[in-house]
Amino acid sequence: MPPISTRAAGRAGVLNTLENGSWQLQQSTMREEMLFAGVSRRAFAMSATRCMKLWGFGRTTSKELSVRRLHRSSIVRQASVMDSPTQTYEAVVVGSGPAGITVVGNLLEQKLSPMLWVDKSFSGGRINYAYREVPSNTKVGLFVDFATALAPFRRIVSSTPSRSRWDEPSESDGVAVNGKPDKLQGLRILDQGKGCDLSHAADMCLILTEGLRRTPGQWNVTLRDSAKSSGQSSTVSARRMVLCTGSSPNNSPLPVDIPGIYTLDLDCALSPTLLATTLSPMDSLTVAVIGASHPAILVLRNLYNLASTTKPNLRIKWFTRHPLRYAEFMDGWILRDNTGLKGEAATWAKQNLEPETMPDSDVAKYVTKIQYPSGTEKEVFEREMQGVEYYVQAIGYSRDPIPSLTTSSGRSIEPKYDHSSGGFNYDSNSESKVPGLFGAGIAFPERVTDPHGNVEYAVGFFKFMRYIKKVVPGWI
């Protein structure tokens, strides 16, 4: 059986520092698929120079750089390369997932322009192409708050673009004006205090992305396939670079070698439709799920739903090192806000997976729980993985690779992210900031400490918004 995976290789590249304080990117080589949007795609090598002002693109292989510049008249013109190569931009934003959308909106609210926005497809990132069927652990009301948190966003979602509705939140937001409702009705009709399928949030991202791309004074760079290379290159300048390059599920090798076992990619397992299609040709099958996170519980539920309906010979082994942990609503704050189970995953887990509920649940007919202490993985896996055909690891996410950084003298820089300012230090031993380089999103989140002293990393639409609103003034 082949491995089942929706992910490809990661990103690679080189950034070199220059003396004049600007950024310069030179795309030097690429393989089969361009990856630049914060999702794992086939490797792409590039060189870039951090000198606070230059960002450039050059093509030497069979890819075409398509550029769209939006004018004040909102008329779009296209070219195979940039036709204004010496223009200096105030910022370059890499990635168009939720974080990229948030950063672009905040920079526009700060009146920062012109801006260059770079992405593979401008299609909402992983949340749109992989997680549309996944139930959110965010309340619908927070998605609406996200989409109306900035004046540029309100311009986009408002059906009647009057200045009062553009510039400040209005009590009439969401109410039909002149008989025309705003563009968020798909979210507004849902229960604002509950979660929803992420398809609703993904559609919101697409609405905001299209609106932002039509904003005057902005370049949108889309990297597309081309039948042949023209060998052309182009360079532009930018004073700031913001990496919103995303993260991918961890999929490290098992601590033991089990013959005949293959990986089932987490993105695949989180989609009920894709999972059913993938496993449909197989009759008798055992799948292992490793982890007790929010995604792990959703994968267990998806597999159980298959086993209890169309695949009665499917069996699941659930490997976990600790009891389930839930988010708890305290007095004005949430304990384990970013690490505990919430929403549908929490409800299903309490009903079916806890020691007091699992023995009497129908889930126990198909799911075997294997709890083991940390440090015993090798012996437990060697014993319990026998007879397992596929395994899913739901053990967190790791940031996608960014281009490597070097100084003008060739010394390598290992940038360390500052989770309070959104900037980078030169390395883990340095307090010196890398000028003009910033990051945001799931790869570069805010570090938060709750009233009990627990440290977490804040991941979520409105958490990104709150953090970026706070740090962006320091980037200007």
Side-chain angles (χ1 to χ4, degrees):
M1 275 179 279
I4 301 173
S5 176
T6 59
R7 289 187 291 134
R11 179 182 296 103
V14 180
L15 282 158
N16 302 309
T17 61
L18 291 185
E19 307 275 337
N20 61 354
S22 61
W23 284 92
Q24 184 180 56
L25 169 69
Q26 184 69 32
Q27 175 189 325
S28 58
T29 61
M30 287 179 286
R31 280 176 276 205
E32 297 177 81
E33 182 180 350
M34 188 67 194
L35 59 83
F36 207 70
V39 294
S40 292
R41 296 192 172 95
R42 298 199 191 280
F44 131 100
M46 63 183 174
S47 65
T49 314
R50 183 220 143 277
C51 15
M52 236 167 172
K53 152 174 147 166
L54 299 173
W55 183 288
F57 293 86
R59 293 184 295 103
T60 59
T61 62
S62 60
K63 296 294 170 184
E64 179 178 349
L65 179 64
S66 177
V67 179
R68 295 183 177 183
R69 183 178 185 182
L70 287 88
H71 300 276
R72 300 269 172 198
S73 62
S74 294
I75 297 174
V76 176
R77 64 184 165 90
Q78 300 182 3
S80 60
V81 295
M82 293 204 188
D83 51 5
S84 181
T86 60
Q87 181 171 355
T88 298
Y89 293 88
E90 291 295 332
V92 172
V93 179
V94 183
S96 73
I101 292 168
T102 307
V103 168
V104 170
N106 273 274
L107 293 178
L108 289 172
E109 181 142 287
Q110 294 288 329
K111 314 298 183 186
L112 200 70
S113 69
M115 196 187 316
L116 186 67
W117 195 10
V118 183
D119 194 74
K120 172 67 167 65
S121 61
F122 291 99
S123 58
R126 183 178 242 105
I127 192 172
N128 183 47
Y129 77 76
Y131 296 155
R132 291 185 64 87
E133 295 179 274
V134 176
S136 75
N137 56 11
T138 297
K139 294 178 180 179
V140 171
L142 287 177
F143 290 131
V144 174
D145 290 344
F146 174 89
T148 56
L150 301 168
F153 286 9
R154 292 190 290 275
R155 294 187 184 102
I156 294 166
V157 303
S158 174
S159 62
T160 307
S162 65
R163 180 156 298 280
S164 63
R165 285 171 62 79
W166 282 12
D167 291 344
E168 296 297 335
S170 167
E171 292 182 0
S172 64
D173 282 347
V175 178
V177 178
N178 297 328
K180 296 180 179 180
D182 72 4
K183 298 175 182 178
L184 300 177
Q185 295 307 302
L187 284 167
R188 294 190 187 279
I189 62 175
L190 303 176
D191 187 331
Q192 301 297 291
K194 294 183 178 180
C196 63
D197 284 350
L198 286 176
S199 59
H200 295 283
D203 290 343
M204 176 192 69
C205 286
L206 296 176
I207 290 170
L208 292 172
T209 298
E210 184 59 28
L212 290 171
R213 293 182 70 186
R214 295 179 180 276
T215 300
Q218 181 177 315
W219 279 79
N220 303 293
V221 180
T222 305
L223 301 166
R224 296 195 173 116
D225 292 345
S226 178
K228 59 181 180 179
S229 171
S230 64
Q232 298 175 347
S233 64
S234 180
T235 300
V236 297
S237 301
R239 295 187 174 88
R240 301 162 188 85
M241 176 167 63
V242 187
L243 301 175
C244 304
T245 44
S247 295
S248 298
N250 292 331
N251 196 18
S252 55
L254 295 178
V256 292
D257 182 21
I258 307 294
I261 191 171
Y262 297 97
T263 61
L264 177 63
D265 192 80
L266 179 61
D267 286 355
C268 171
L270 283 170
S271 166
T273 301
L274 185 57
L275 182 63
T277 302
T278 301
L279 300 183
S280 62
M282 309 169 199
D283 183 21
S284 180
L285 184 69
T286 301
V287 177
V289 178
I290 303 171
S293 62
H294 183 85
I297 303 308
L298 294 177
V299 170
L300 287 170
R301 188 176 72 163
N302 289 345
L303 288 168
Y304 163 72
N305 288 340
L306 278 178
S308 61
T309 54
T310 60
K311 294 192 69 63
N313 293 324
L314 171 63
R315 294 296 180 267
I316 304 108
K317 286 190 173 184
W318 172 34
F319 293 79
T320 177
R321 294 186 302 186
H322 56 75
L324 295 173
R325 298 165 180 165
Y326 299 88
E328 297 181 29
F329 291 86
M330 312 296 281
D331 184 14
W333 62 284
I334 302 175
L335 178 65
R336 292 185 287 274
D337 186 22
N338 297 281
T339 58
L341 300 177
K342 295 179 182 176
E344 290 185 23
T347 300
W348 191 81
K350 289 176 181 178
Q351 293 173 346
N352 298 286
L353 298 179
E354 288 293 350
E356 62 273 17
T357 59
M358 188 171 183
D360 297 325
S361 170
D362 188 61
V363 168
K365 297 178 182 178
Y366 308 96
V367 178
T368 301
K369 180 180 178 180
I370 302 166
Q371 187 165 334
Y372 57 96
S374 178
T376 64
E377 289 86 356
K378 184 175 181 179
E379 58 192 78
V380 171
F381 285 10
E382 194 165 30
R383 180 179 68 249
E384 300 292 347
M385 284 284 185
Q386 301 302 322
V388 172
E389 282 84 9
Y390 287 102
Y391 70 94
V392 185
Q393 294 197 82
I395 53 175
Y397 287 70
S398 296
R399 66 177 57 145
D400 290 336
I402 63 172
S404 61
L405 292 153
T406 61
T407 65
S408 56
S409 62
R411 179 175 62 87
S412 176
I413 299 173
E414 300 294 334
K416 180 184 179 183
Y417 186 66
D418 182 345
H419 293 273
S420 61
S421 71
F424 290 85
N425 294 344
Y426 278 94
D427 56 52
S428 58
N429 298 317
S430 173
E431 296 298 323
S432 300
K433 297 291 184 184
V434 181
L437 180 64
F438 307 100
I442 187 173
F444 306 109
E446 179 183 20
R447 183 174 53 234
V448 295
T449 304
D450 70 21
H452 286 180
N454 302 306
V455 176
E456 296 182 338
Y457 293 93
V459 173
F461 276 69
F462 201 73
K463 293 170 185 175
F464 294 161
M465 178 64 71
R466 185 171 53 209
Y467 176 46
I468 294 167
K469 267 179 171 278
K470 180 172 63 176
V471 299
V472 154
W475 300 358
I476 305 303

